[in-house]
Amino acid sequence: MGDQKGIETERAPLGITIKGILSLIMSTIDEKKGRRVISLGMGDPSAYTCFHTTPVAEESVADALQSQNFNGYAPTVGLLQARIAIADYLSRDLPYKLSSDDVYITSGCTHAIDAAITNLYRPGANILLPRPGFPIYELCAAFRHIEVRHFDLIPERGWEVDVDAIEALADHNTVALVIINPGNPCGSVYSYHHLKKIAETAEKLRILVIADEVYGHLAFGKNPFVPMGVFGSTVPVLTLGSLSKRWIVPGWRLGWFVTNDLCGTFKNPKVVERLKKYFDICGGPATFIQAAVPRILAQTEEVFYMKTLNILKQTSDICCRKIKEIGCITCPHKPEGSMAVMVKLNLSLLKDVSDDIDFCLKLAKEESVIILPGTAVGLKNWLRITFAVEPSSLEEALGRVKAFYQRHANQEFKY
Ligand SMILES: *Cc1c(COP(=O)(O)O)cnc(C)c1O
C-alpha cells in the first residue's frame, strides 16, 4: 500500500499514457544518424504549414490581448460572451437551442474530460469506455477512483460500438458511457442511426452519454458529422470539445463542457452549484483567448474548414495507399474523419519483432519514424498512425516503414 501521508504510488496504478510511451520511443532515436525524425505519433499538426490555423483566429486573439480589456480573471465557468458564442455555435447543428448556462469553458477538451469524470463520481461508480480509446479517460478515472469497464469497437463494422456489450457491462452503479466521434484512434464517423441506437441504449440503462466531439466536423467520408446532442431529448448528453483540432491550435487550451439535457438533470440547483465549485478550483484558459472565441466562431471562413478537410482526405488516402504496400500491416476500415487510423500488425510475417511496442521501438531506432503502439490505446499488436502530417513527410515516413518491413520480413523480397 502507498504511504498514507505521502503521495499515492502503489494504490492506483495509472497505466499507460500516450505522451509517456512516445517519449520512450523518442529516446531510442539515434541522433547521430542525422536523419530527419518524422512523427506519426502525436496528433498535433500545427507544426506543418499546410495545417496553419486561419488568420481570423490569430487576429482575434491578438486584438483581444491588445485591447487591454482582458488581463483580469474571467468568471471560473468562463467569459459570458464566449459561453454565448459556443452555445450558438453548437446549436447550429441541434434541433433545439442551447443557452450560455449549458456551457462551461475549460482548459482544452482534456479538462472537460476531467470535469465530466470528476462530477460523475459517487462511491462504487463505474464508467463504460471504448476500446480502443483515448487513455486520458482511464487516467482521470484512476485519479478519481472510478471503476472503468471497456466495451469493444468493432473494426469490421467501421469501428461501431458493440451495443450488446454495453448492456452486458452496465449495472446499477454505471453512471455513463463515453463515445468519441469522429473517432480517435480509429478515424470512424458514426451514422445518425448508430448514434440513435447508442442514445436509446443509454436511456434504457438510465446512464448518460459523454460525447467527446473534439474532432467535431472533421468528417471527410460518406457519413456527415452528427453531434450526439441531437439526442438530448432521449438521454442527457455531456458534449466535450475544443478549438484544438478543428482550428489546429491545441496550444491555446480553449475547450468546452456542455450539458445537452432536455431532461433537466443538469439544471438541478445542487448539480449546478457543484459544477460551479469544481470550476472554481481549476480556472480556465487565459481570459484573452476566451475573449477571442465569439469572433473565431462567427468569422472563420468556410474555405478554411474545407481546406483542412481536403488535406485530411488527401493524407488519409496517401496513408491507405502506402499501407497496402506494407505486407505486415492491414487497415480494416478506411478513415472517414479525425486525424488517425488503426492498423493491425501481422507479427507472423516478421522474423524478429515480438509485439507492437517492440515494432515501434525498432522502427524509431532504425528509421527515425515515430508511430504509436496500439497498446497505448488499448489494442495490443495494432498501431495508431496519425495522418495529419504534411503529405510529402507522410509519404516518406510510410516509405521508411515499408523498408523496415522488408528488412525484418521472414520471407525474402525480390526486387
Ligand atoms: C486531442 C484529444 C483530446 C484533448 O483535446 P485538447 O483540447 O487538446 O485538450 C480529447 N479527446 C480526444 C479524443 C482527443 O483526440
Side-chain angles (χ1 to χ4, degrees):
M1 292 298 274
D3 178 359
Q4 288 272 303
K5 295 190 209 95
I7 294 173
E8 225 173 331
T9 51
E10 287 161 42
R11 229 176 309 166
L14 296 175
I16 263 172
T17 64
I18 290 180
K19 290 192 176 90
I21 206 156
L22 286 177
S23 65
L24 175 73
I25 292 168
M26 278 298 270
S27 70
T28 70
I29 287 184
D30 189 352
E31 303 274 345
K32 288 193 291 293
K33 270 192 177 162
R35 208 162 174 198
R36 184 169 70 107
V37 177
I38 307 177
S39 177
L40 312 181
M42 268 286 272
D44 184 355
S46 62
Y48 299 101
T49 48
C50 65
F51 286 104
H52 199 90
T53 193
T54 166
V56 172
E58 290 169 336
E59 285 159 21
S60 308
V61 170
D63 288 352
L65 177 63
Q66 283 169 356
S67 75
Q68 305 188 343
N69 291 328
F70 302 105
N71 293 335
Y73 287 115
T76 53
V77 292
L79 215 56
L80 180 61
Q81 59 265 47
R83 299 175 81 193
I84 294 172
I86 293 166
D88 289 348
Y89 169 70
L90 296 174
S91 297
R92 289 181 208 166
D93 303 308
L94 297 173
Y96 53 92
K97 231 179 124 24
L98 292 167
S99 99
S100 58
D101 287 338
D102 295 315
V103 178
Y104 298 79
I105 296 184
T106 58
S107 300
C109 186
T110 306
H111 178 203
I113 293 171
D114 187 62
I117 289 186
T118 302
N119 284 287
L120 289 174
Y121 175 79
R122 55 176 161 76
N126 68 70
I127 185 168
L128 311 184
L129 300 182
R131 179 176 52 215
F134 189 66
I136 294 284
Y137 285 91
E138 280 81 356
L139 191 58
C140 277
F143 270 110
R144 306 307 187 186
H145 300 283
I146 294 193
E147 183 199 339
V148 162
R149 299 179 183 180
H150 289 102
F151 56 88
D152 288 321
L153 306 182
I154 305 168
E156 297 77 20
R157 281 203 252 139
W159 297 104
E160 282 189 351
V161 169
D162 183 349
V163 178
D164 297 335
I166 288 185
E167 295 208 30
L169 281 174
D171 61 20
H172 63 282
N173 279 323
T174 304
V175 290
L177 72 87
V178 171
I179 62 155
I180 303 173
N181 181 53
N184 181 10
C186 302
S188 46
V189 177
Y190 293 151
S191 67
Y192 178 93
H193 179 77
H194 186 57
L195 293 169
K196 183 160 183 270
K197 205 163 138 192
I198 294 170
E200 287 166 357
T201 306
E203 186 214 2
K204 186 166 136 194
L205 298 167
R206 309 189 63 77
I207 61 181
L208 56 87
V209 177
I210 298 173
D212 183 327
E213 294 176 357
V214 75
Y215 290 99
H217 296 278
L218 292 179
F220 44 80
K222 64 178 193 310
N223 290 336
F225 166 64
V226 177
M228 194 72 201
V230 162
F231 304 100
S233 53
T234 304
V235 67
V237 176
L238 295 175
T239 300
L240 318 182
S242 74
L243 295 183
S244 304
K245 310 287 163 75
R246 195 180 192 195
W247 279 268
I248 323 176
V249 289
W252 291 8
R253 311 309 304 131
L254 191 297
W256 49 82
F257 167 99
V258 177
T259 58
N260 293 257
D261 167 32
L262 303 180
C263 323
T265 316
F266 288 96
K267 301 286 187 305
N268 176 326
K270 282 201 182 122
V271 176
V272 173
E273 191 193 319
R274 212 185 126 77
L275 273 173
K276 286 189 168 158
K277 283 188 172 148
Y278 166 82
F279 284 102
D280 280 344
I281 303 171
C282 312
T287 310
F288 64 90
I289 304 266
Q290 298 193 38
V293 167
R295 208 171 121 199
I296 296 174
L297 296 184
Q299 294 184 13
T300 298
E301 322 86 335
E302 203 55 36
V303 290
F304 168 73
Y305 298 138
M306 291 313 295
K307 182 174 157 243
T308 309
L309 286 179
N310 284 337
I311 303 173
L312 288 174
K313 172 85 181 76
Q314 184 196 346
T315 55
S316 68
D317 286 344
I318 293 173
C319 204
C320 293
R321 173 168 53 77
K322 298 292 279 187
I323 285 166
K324 288 203 186 96
E325 298 173 7
I326 308 167
C328 64
I329 55 179
T330 48
C331 173
H333 188 78
K334 204 168 181 298
E336 297 166 24
S338 88
M339 299 176 173
V341 61
M342 289 294 286
V343 297
K344 195 172 170 54
L345 190 57
N346 185 346
L347 288 169
S348 72
L349 297 177
L350 295 159
K351 61 181 175 220
D352 52 2
V353 174
S354 59
D355 59 20
D356 57 332
I357 297 179
D358 191 35
F359 182 94
C360 293
L361 288 170
K362 287 185 167 131
L363 178 71
K365 191 168 163 55
E366 295 173 29
E367 298 288 344
S368 300
V369 171
I370 313 285
I371 289 181
L372 187 73
T375 296
V377 292
L379 277 195
K380 193 174 163 66
N381 295 336
W382 286 68
L383 307 171
R384 185 191 76 172
I385 298 178
T386 301
F387 52 78
V389 173
E390 200 263 314
S392 65
S393 300
L394 183 62
E395 293 253 9
E396 180 174 343
L398 292 169
R400 293 190 206 168
V401 178
K402 182 177 171 183
F404 175 86
Y405 165 56
Q406 293 181 336
R407 273 200 315 281
H408 293 267
N410 53 17
Q411 92 227 48
E412 283 294 310
F413 274 91
K414 301 203 171 60
Y415 300 99

